[in-house]
């Protein structure tokens, strides 16, 4: 979702030259190993982590991979910040819950707060929440409340798998 752009706002304030204490660089704050895993060149004379275009495409691929892994945008934000391992550990410690609001206290404080900063930034820029500020369960409830069809309509319905580009509101 386009709202994931707010991650770069909280990661670096959109500054391409931003360098963190742990060596993360650029608007999306990639550490060298992750940057290389997503096809960015990190060298002495050139560092593609500072390239807005290339690093944004790398971040989009990473976010897509994390969503395929967790199926929940709030967990994606937590994993983007603290790594998938910390999210899996929090899931285990919470008794298997994949609801951010249940497992948040088992995450490192920085990751827990990162998710809350993301939600706050989304509200500041958009004036309201969206698909990226809801848990997977909240999203299901939103969709089920939005689409009310009776049993007869359900029998006449067909399901299609959609791939490629499409507008999410459609």
């Amino acid at each position: 979702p386009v709202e994931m752009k707010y991650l770069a706002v909280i990661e670096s304030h959109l500054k391409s030259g931003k360098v963190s204490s742990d060596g993360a660089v650029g608007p999306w704050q990639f550490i060298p190993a992750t940057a290389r895993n997503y096809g960015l060149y990190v060298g002495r004379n050139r560092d593609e982590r500072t390239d807005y275009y290339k690093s944004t495409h790398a971040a989009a691929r990473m976010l897509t991979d994390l969503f395929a892994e967790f199926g929940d945008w709030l967990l994606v934000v937590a994993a983007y910040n603290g790594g998938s391992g910390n999210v899996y550990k929090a899931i285990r410690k919470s008794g298997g819950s994949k609801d951010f609001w249940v497992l948040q206290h088992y995450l490192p404080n920085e990751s827990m707060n990162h998710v809350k900063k993301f939600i706050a930034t989304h509200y500041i820029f958009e004036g309201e929440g969206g698909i990226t500020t809801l848990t997977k369960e909240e999203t299901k409830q939103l969709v089920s409340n939005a689409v009310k069809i009776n049993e007869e309509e359900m029998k006449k319905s067909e399901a299609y798998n959609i791939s490629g580009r499409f507008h999410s509101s459609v």
Side-chain angles (χ1 to χ4, degrees):
V2 295
E3 295 87 0
M4 295 309 287
K5 64 189 172 196
Y6 302 127
L7 217 67
V9 172
I10 61 173
E11 288 285 344
S12 68
H13 302 138
L14 297 176
K15 294 179 181 173
S16 66
K18 173 92 174 183
V19 180
S20 75
S21 59
D22 63 348
V25 170
W28 293 95
Q29 290 292 284
F30 279 109
I31 58 172
T34 304
R36 289 184 184 104
N37 286 344
Y38 283 93
L40 297 175
Y41 178 81
V42 179
R44 180 180 288 164
N45 297 322
R46 185 174 59 130
D47 190 340
E48 291 181 339
R49 295 177 294 172
T50 64
D51 182 301
Y52 284 107
Y53 182 83
K54 289 180 180 179
S55 67
T56 298
H57 280 267
R61 286 191 305 275
M62 182 177 178
L63 293 167
T64 300
D65 289 349
L66 289 170
F67 187 77
E69 192 174 342
F70 294 107
D72 182 299
W73 289 111
L74 298 180
L75 297 184
V76 167
V77 173
Y80 190 90
N81 175 262
S84 293
N86 281 324
V87 174
Y88 282 121
K89 191 185 304 181
I91 290 169
R92 277 192 310 277
K93 286 182 176 181
S94 71
S97 177
K98 292 184 179 178
D99 182 326
F100 170 76
W101 301 108
V102 172
L103 63 78
Q104 67 174 316
H105 300 292
Y106 299 104
L107 288 167
N109 281 337
E110 182 184 344
S111 297
M112 177 181 67
N113 291 331
H114 205 69
V115 173
K116 293 174 182 179
K117 286 178 190 175
F118 174 78
I119 293 169
T121 303
H122 189 289
Y123 272 83
I124 289 166
F125 279 95
E126 300 283 334
E128 60 186 2
I131 196 79
T132 58
T133 61
L134 301 173
T135 65
K136 189 175 186 177
E137 200 54 45
E138 290 169 333
T139 303
K140 283 181 189 176
Q141 288 174 348
L142 179 70
V143 170
S144 70
N145 290 339
V147 180
K148 299 252 189 221
I149 59 174
N150 62 38
E151 198 172 315
E152 185 179 321
E153 291 171 319
M154 189 67 158
K155 287 178 185 176
K156 293 179 181 177
S157 298
E158 291 185 43
Y160 296 94
N161 287 328
I162 300 172
S163 63
R165 299 182 121 192
F166 63 95
H167 195 279
S168 62
S169 66
V170 175

